[in-house]
Amino acid sequence: MPVARFFRFQERQTNLRTEILAGLSTFITMAYILVVNPAILQKAGMDFEGVFVATILASVLGTLIMGVVANYPIAIAPGMGMNAYFTFVIVLGMKIPWPSALASVFVASLIFLLLSLTRLRQALINAIPPSLKASISAGIGLFIAFIGMQNAHLISASSATLVTLGDFSDPIAYLSLLGLLGSVILLVHRIRAAIFLGMLLSALLCVLLGKVNFPASFIELPSHATSTFLKLDFKSFTPDLAAVIFTFFLIMLFDTTATMIGIAGQAGLLQNGRFPNAKSALCADAIASTVGALAGTSPTSAYIESGAGVSVGGRTGFTCVVVALLFMSMLFFAPVAKMLASVPSISAPALIIVGFLMMSHLSDIDWHDVEEALPAFFVLFWIPLSYSITSGVGAGLILYPLLKIVRGKYKQVHPLLYVFMILFTLQFILDALHGAHA
């Protein structure tokens, strides 16, 4: 079957040249994940090269399924925010070994996959009010930016105020600042690949100042894949991981669904506000997350950067085929990615910019409605300040139904939200008891 007929080029008013250009545009805008994801998970004790390979495999699989089965120009790759949650909250904060954390990703992904095949998925999406969905996304953005600022040495710990400005005489700090400025200038000029090009600019500055150690070879066979492959540990599961699994599941569900609908709307592929073939699209992400956990990476997500490809005319899944092939072509360039990740000044500005872009969800919150805005506010500031996405989400899911109850509007709350409120309340009580006995 000809490519044009299989992907319905004529029906969606596109052609092969446009789809290839769209795939290239999407890949360039999201290529930073090849450096940033292994760099973040490496801090959890995982092997950089192993995560690099896992990142590519999960991205290729999810993006191909999205393109060939769902026929959407929406790329899939390990999600920003979830990799930070995996490393800084679960592994470093909760002291859970990364193989157990990967097992929690695997379980959450299986649940997501099973629910993607049922109508319960839509019920869960409807259960969470829009204000909380928006605040969760924005709160994760603040969390990512906060981590980026720390990695860039633009802020540092303080015994007096907990956090203070960093030392700008530190080479990492001023190089990060210059790289961030370059990314911001590209961003305000609406350059689609601002994040990726900003990383290259930072890398050039670091090279000129002698801060980068070049590898012996820029190309190598992916021989380190086994360092993270099938390393899941189900034996060391703790009660804390139940909340972790639930948080992973919620983020995968809301973030992926919102991004897919947004990109499909931008491409003009929604039908009367409906998202056609949603089951296949959600399954693409769920399968990628499941396989990604087996290979050795945090959950995947639909990428908002897919909008770059849509903006130049991408309308079919062939855009994703091109993105997947480009990801696969990077399989032998782990030394280059590791070199770029070795200097915080190169990757930290990307985290800050990604965090900023995720703040756009705040416009979906009615700040004049206290019942909606106050729970959203607690989610928004509690995620970065508690250094825990779970705590922030839990605070919002407890406070929202509580306010509705005291206002006599308990019937406006979806029954599932009361279940979430009880579960998170029990989780906070158990954490408090555990802390008291520690």
Side-chain angles (χ1 to χ4, degrees):
M1 182 183 295
V3 170
R5 189 185 308 168
F6 181 84
F7 289 100
R8 297 187 288 174
F9 282 3
Q10 185 173 359
E11 179 183 329
R12 297 191 181 179
Q13 299 179 336
T14 185
N15 55 58
L16 185 63
R17 179 181 177 279
T18 299
E19 293 295 305
I20 292 174
L21 179 61
L24 180 61
S25 299
T26 295
F27 174 76
I28 291 175
T29 58
M30 64 184 291
Y32 66 86
I33 197 63
L34 290 170
V35 177
V36 176
N37 193 54
I40 290 176
L41 296 190
Q42 185 181 38
K43 295 180 184 293
M46 300 180 71
D47 177 65
F48 184 97
E49 287 88 346
V51 177
F52 179 79
V53 173
T55 299
I56 291 176
L57 292 180
S59 303
V60 169
L61 178 63
T63 302
L64 275 179
I65 295 175
M66 179 68 75
V68 176
V69 180
N71 198 21
Y72 280 113
I74 305 171
I76 302 288
M80 292 297 296
M82 286 185 278
N83 48 17
Y85 176 58
F86 182 101
T87 295
F88 297 103
V89 177
I90 302 174
V91 178
L92 299 182
M94 300 170 66
K95 309 299 181 186
I96 293 173
W98 64 261
S100 296
L102 278 180
S104 71
V105 172
F106 180 77
V107 173
S109 301
L110 278 182
I111 295 172
F112 184 32
L113 178 58
L114 291 174
L115 287 181
S116 295
L117 299 171
T118 70
R119 293 183 178 180
L120 185 57
R121 176 201 72 238
Q122 194 61 42
L124 284 168
I125 293 172
N126 294 336
I128 308 297
S131 59
L132 287 185
K133 293 175 188 174
S135 62
I136 289 170
S137 295
I140 293 172
L142 280 178
F143 184 46
I144 293 171
F146 190 42
I147 291 169
M149 295 284 278
Q150 292 176 73
N151 291 348
H153 294 191
L154 297 178
I155 58 175
S156 59
S158 166
S159 57
T161 60
L162 296 182
V163 178
T164 188
L165 280 176
D167 178 8
F168 291 153
S169 65
D170 179 353
I172 291 179
Y174 65 72
L175 285 172
S176 296
L177 202 57
L178 290 172
L180 179 60
L181 180 61
S183 296
V184 167
I185 291 172
L186 291 170
L187 197 65
V188 298
H189 280 87
R190 303 190 183 280
I191 304 298
R192 291 287 183 180
I195 296 175
F196 181 68
L197 294 176
M199 288 180 64
L200 293 182
L201 176 62
S202 298
L204 179 60
L205 289 172
C206 291
V207 167
L208 293 175
L209 294 176
K211 302 296 181 181
V212 175
N213 294 319
F214 290 97
S217 173
F218 287 97
I219 300 175
E220 71 175 18
L221 292 173
S223 57
H224 294 267
T226 55
S227 62
T228 58
F229 191 69
L230 295 179
K231 300 296 183 182
L232 289 71
D233 179 16
F234 294 96
K235 298 178 181 178
S236 302
F237 255 45
T238 65
D240 290 339
L241 282 178
V244 168
I245 291 170
F246 182 66
T247 302
F248 269 136
F249 168 73
L250 277 185
I251 298 170
M252 282 190 278
L253 181 67
F254 300 142
D255 186 56
T256 295
T257 304
T259 301
M260 286 182 183
I261 292 174
I263 297 300
Q266 181 186 350
L269 300 177
L270 296 181
Q271 295 178 3
N272 298 320
R274 282 192 320 108
F275 184 38
N277 210 10
K279 185 181 293 185
S280 297
L282 287 168
C283 283
D285 184 42
I287 292 171
S289 283
T290 306
V291 174
L294 295 173
T297 186
S298 50
T300 61
S301 178
Y303 260 61
I304 195 67
E305 284 84 354
S306 302
V310 170
S311 69
V312 297
R315 293 293 181 271
T316 75
F318 193 77
T319 293
C320 282
V321 172
V322 175
V323 173
L325 291 174
L326 289 170
F327 263 110
M328 185 62 75
S329 71
M330 297 291 106
L331 198 57
F332 303 99
F333 292 94
V336 177
K338 192 171 186 179
M339 177 189 72
L340 295 175
S342 65
V343 182
S345 305
I346 297 175
S347 58
L351 295 177
I352 298 170
I353 295 295
V354 169
F356 159 73
L357 294 174
M358 294 180 71
M359 299 301 291
S360 62
H361 295 280
L362 290 179
S363 61
D364 297 331
I365 301 172
D366 182 1
W367 293 101
H368 297 289
D369 186 343
V370 177
E371 294 170 32
E372 297 288 330
L374 198 58
F377 167 73
F378 273 89
V379 172
L380 183 65
F381 91 91
W382 214 322
I383 287 177
L385 294 186
S386 69
Y387 228 72
S388 171
I389 297 173
T390 305
S391 297
V393 171
L397 291 178
I398 291 171
L399 187 58
Y400 186 89
L402 192 61
L403 291 181
K404 292 297 183 181
I405 291 172
V406 299
R407 288 283 291 152
K409 301 178 180 179
Y410 57 91
K411 290 184 179 180
Q412 295 181 5
V413 179
H414 195 288
L416 281 173
L417 209 59
Y418 287 118
V419 176
F420 298 157
M421 180 182 73
I422 294 169
L423 291 175
F424 272 108
T425 300
L426 291 173
Q427 178 65 35
F428 281 130
I429 291 172
L430 291 173
D431 286 345
L433 293 174
H434 178 73
H437 291 293

